[in-house]
Structures are given as structure tokens and as C-alpha cells.
């Protein structure tokens, strides 16, 4: 392995004493303490890499040297890394950071030459409990895992309730305290809306989790899901409310199809296994971040000034863009 500079994952606050030291344990303590994305992207990545023997650490202060890895929502917009620091920004579903040297994005649509960036698959849900095999072909529970505001309006109210009764399904909005628990779930449904929005800043996490849980999924036409799709059995894609109903009716009528989708998902889950993603992170640091860091150390002062001027320009453009969408 090449000799690496210090690699530090940044958290603005101290780690809570009750946080588990392993991402294999589902922890609800992040609620009210840190954003779930910060926990998943910063803490869990650090924990996975450390468990694999990769040299890295957590810091609560912005360093003066080495490679800094920070979530976009944890670091000020006007932070400018000092000369000895390569700043790797975990963009997540936020905006780019104007002064980051590299961005890690969770959707390939977010890759940008204007903001040098690398795609990295998101981790599957920590401590995930898969569907109970003892449920067999039972068809009782449909679930949405996520924030209620991220579900299409059509999938609420009396019309939806009536369709669920016809389908003999109980509907469950699963809150963050149980985002890991798929034991009683027979089908996952996740559709943000039926417009043409591709949601290029969202990850394929709901698909990954369904695969790992052994649960068939009915999903909207989001870019992240489509990027991962290799086979019709990967998930049932829907682009309208009638298509949601048709997909659920098809699954209800065909237990063999449900089994095939679940079994296919378990095979596809190997690609997003934590060990596979950990290996990709190691490769990123060794083949992308390290050369970028070494190049950064050789940058003459005038290039450094250009970098800072470019960041100020990006910052101003970004603010203008955000105001125009308010």
C-alpha cells in the first residue's frame, strides 16, 4: 500500500458516548444529534475503513495538513482549506462546496468537471434485518422507508387506502427508528412523484436495502435506480399511479415472481456489500486522493490564488442559483 498522509474524517461535534463502534449495529441515537447522512457518510465510512485496517481517524477540529473528508452539511460554505490540506467533500444530497478539491457523489448524474467528483455507492442500511424467511409467500405488508415528504401525494388518502384493501395489504410508513427492520415487510414501495424529475442528487439506497433484505421493490423512475438496473427482476419500475397499482396487482397474483425478484436481489446485493464498498473507498484514497494530495502540495502560490478566486466565483454563482429557486 502506498504511504498515505493523515486521513481525517471531520465531525463538528464530539461522538456521543452511546454511539456503537460498529456500523453493524443500528443506532437511533443520531436522531436530534446529527443528520442521518452525516452519520452514514462520515462515521460509518470511518468505522468500515478502520475495521479493515485502513489508517484514518475522526477529528472534531479542521486540520492543517493531510486529507480532510467532510460532509457538505457539516462544514461552512466559506471554509478554504489551508495549503497542506486536500479537502474531499462528501456532497450527499446538498450543493457542491466551492472550495473542495474533490467531491464524492452518490449519483452518477452528479459527476461534474466543473467540480471534480467521483461516484461512490452509498452504504446499505446499518444493522439491516432482512425479511423473515418464515414468512414464505405471505402477502400482507407494504412499506415505505423514508421521510413522509418523499412519497408521491397520490399514495395517500382514501383512494390509496381503497386500493390497499383490494390488494389485501397493510400500509406502513417506516420511521427512522426502524429503517433497518425489514423482517415483516413483503413489498417495498418508493415513488417520490410522477413527473420527469430524475433526482440526480439522490442515491439508490432504497434499492440496495431491498436487495439486502430479500424484499421485492416497486420504485419510481429515478436515475439512481435506473443506473443500477441490469435485469427486469432487479425491481418493478413505475412511472404513474396506475402503474404502481398494476405492479402491486402483478406481485400479488404471482408469488413465483415475488420469489424470483427477491432471490435476484440477494444476488445483486453482493455488489453493494460493505466489504465491496470498503474496497472501493481504499482504492479511491490510494489512486485518486493521494495523487491529488501530492499535486496539491506542489501547486505554486499563483495557482493557489487562482484556486481561491475560482472558489469565490463558484460561491457567488451558487448563491445566485439558490436564490433563483426560492
Amino acid at each position: 500500500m502506498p504511504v498515505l498522509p493523515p486521513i481525517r474524517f471531520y465531525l463538528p461535534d464530539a461522538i456521543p458516548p452511546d454511539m456503537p463502534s460498529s456500523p453493524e449495529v443500528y443506532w437511533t441515537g443520531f436522531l436530534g444529534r446529527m443528520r442521518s447522512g452525516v452519520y452514514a457518510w462520515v462515521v460509518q465510512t470511518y468505522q468500515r475503513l478502520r475495521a479493515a485496517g485502513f489508517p484514518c481517524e475522526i477529528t472534531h477540529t479542521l486540520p492543517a495538513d493531510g486529507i480532510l473528508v467532510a460532509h457538505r452539511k457539516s462544514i461552512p460554505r466559506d471554509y478554504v482549506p489551508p495549503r497542506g490540506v486536500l479537502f474531499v467533500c462528501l456532497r450527499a444530497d446538498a450543493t457542491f462546496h466551492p472550495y473542495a478539491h474533490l467531491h464524492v457523489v452518490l449519483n452518477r448524474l452528479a459527476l461534474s468537471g466543473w467540480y471534480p467528483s467521483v461516484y461512490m455507492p452509498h452504504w446499505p442500511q446499518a444493522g439491516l434485518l432482512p425479511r423473515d424467511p418464515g414468512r414464505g409467500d405471505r402477502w400482507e405488508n407494504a412499506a415505505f422507508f423514508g421521510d413522509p415528504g418523499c412519497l408521491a401525494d397520490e399514495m395517500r388518502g382514501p383512494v390509496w387506502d381503497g386500493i390497499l384493501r383490494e390488494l389485501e395489504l397493510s400500509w406502513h410508513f417506516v420511521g427512522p427508528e426502524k429503517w433497518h427492520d425489514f423482517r415483516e415487510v413483503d413489498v417495498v414501495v418508493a415513488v417520490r412523484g410522477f413527473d420527469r424529475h430524475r433526482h440526480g442528487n439522490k442515491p439508490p439506497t432504497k434499492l440496495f436495502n431491498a436487495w439486502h433484505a430479500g424484499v421485492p421493490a416497486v420504485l419510481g423512475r429515478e436515475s439512481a435506480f435506473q443506473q443500477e438496473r441490469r435485469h427486469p427482476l432487479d425491481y418493478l419500475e413505475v412511472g404513474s399511479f396506475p402503474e404502481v397499482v398494476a405492479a402491486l396487482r402483478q406481485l400479488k397474483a404471482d408469488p413465483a415472481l415475488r420469489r424470483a425478484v427477491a432471490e435476484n436481489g440477494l444476488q445483486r446485493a453482493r455488489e453493494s456489500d460493505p466489504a465491496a464498498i470498503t474496497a472501493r473507498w481504499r482504492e479511491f484514497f490510494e489512486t485518486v486522493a493521494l495523487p491529488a494530495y501530492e499535486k496539491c502540495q506542489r501547486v505554486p502560490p499563483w495557482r493557489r490564488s487562482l484556486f481561491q478566486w475560482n472558489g469565490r466565483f463558484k460561491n457567488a454563482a451558487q448563491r445566485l442559483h439558490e436564490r433563483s429557486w426560492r
Side-chain angles (χ1 to χ4, degrees):
M1 188 178 78
V3 177
L4 295 166
I7 297 173
R8 301 181 176 96
F9 287 83
Y10 172 72
L11 284 178
D13 302 311
I15 292 177
D18 61 329
M19 190 182 77
S21 59
S22 168
E24 301 295 345
V25 179
Y26 187 66
W27 181 58
T28 60
F30 66 82
L31 298 171
R33 300 189 189 181
M34 65 177 76
R35 296 174 184 267
S36 60
V38 174
Y39 175 56
W41 271 83
V42 177
V43 178
Q44 291 183 22
T45 304
Y46 159 75
Q47 289 177 337
R48 294 284 186 190
L49 286 167
R50 286 285 293 186
F54 188 81
C56 58
E57 60 187 272
I58 284 276
T59 182
H60 309 301
T61 58
L62 293 170
D65 63 351
I67 297 175
L68 166 67
V69 185
H71 193 283
R72 177 64 182 86
K73 295 178 181 177
S74 293
I75 201 159
R77 182 202 293 264
D78 59 357
Y79 167 73
V80 179
R83 181 174 182 179
V85 171
L86 179 84
F87 174 24
V88 178
C89 178
L90 305 176
R91 183 194 171 191
D93 59 354
T95 57
F96 289 100
H97 193 288
Y99 296 103
H101 297 96
L102 291 169
H103 284 83
V104 175
V105 300
L106 40 67
N107 185 307
R108 292 181 181 87
L109 278 188
L111 293 171
S112 168
W114 184 248
Y115 294 92
S117 45
V118 174
Y119 168 73
M120 187 68 68
H122 204 352
W123 302 104
Q125 183 63 60
L128 188 145
L129 299 173
R131 184 176 186 266
D132 179 2
R135 292 188 65 77
D137 289 336
R138 291 171 70 173
W139 176 258
E140 298 172 349
N141 297 316
F144 169 76
F145 290 77
D147 297 323
C150 295
L151 186 68
D153 292 338
E154 292 86 342
M155 300 170 67
R156 313 165 192 268
V159 173
W160 179 237
D161 292 341
I163 290 169
L164 291 169
R165 284 193 296 271
E166 173 206 328
L167 293 166
E168 299 179 297
L169 284 172
S170 295
W171 180 239
H172 302 271
F173 275 105
V174 183
E177 68 283 352
K178 286 194 173 182
W179 279 348
H180 67 308
D181 193 348
F182 290 75
R183 288 174 294 181
E184 303 297 317
V185 178
D186 301 314
V187 61
V188 166
V189 184
V191 185
R192 296 180 195 274
F194 301 111
D195 53 22
R196 296 182 180 273
H197 199 304
R198 302 197 67 195
H199 301 284
N201 63 336
K202 295 298 182 182
T205 310
K206 291 179 175 62
L207 176 59
F208 287 173
N209 290 343
W211 284 346
H212 284 266
V215 178
V218 176
L219 305 176
R221 291 179 179 169
E222 293 189 23
S223 57
F225 304 146
Q226 293 174 335
Q227 290 163 13
E228 300 296 332
R229 199 172 198 197
R230 307 285 184 272
H231 191 278
L233 291 178
D234 286 344
Y235 64 93
L236 277 68
E237 184 177 82
V238 294
S240 66
F241 184 63
E243 288 182 9
V244 174
V245 178
L248 291 172
R249 284 175 177 158
Q250 183 182 10
L251 289 170
K252 179 180 185 297
D254 193 346
L257 175 62
R258 300 202 300 270
R259 291 194 298 270
V261 173
E263 290 166 4
N264 174 78
L266 291 173
Q267 296 298 315
R268 291 296 313 274
R270 297 174 181 175
E271 302 166 28
S272 56
D273 181 82
I277 297 177
T278 300
R280 291 184 65 152
W281 271 104
R282 294 186 67 133
E283 182 181 10
F284 164 74
F285 282 116
E286 294 169 6
T287 66
V288 178
L290 176 59
Y293 172 79
E294 292 173 341
K295 182 179 180 180
C296 189
Q297 303 313 297
R298 299 192 298 268
V299 168
W302 70 269
R303 289 284 300 275
R304 188 78 190 172
S305 299
L306 180 62
F307 166 76
Q308 294 185 7
W309 177 88
N310 191 43
R312 288 193 293 271
F313 173 77
K314 292 177 184 176
N315 204 350
Q318 201 171 87
R319 288 183 185 276
L320 180 63
H321 172 76
E322 290 169 359
R323 282 200 301 270
S324 70
W325 283 93
R326 286 176 185 168

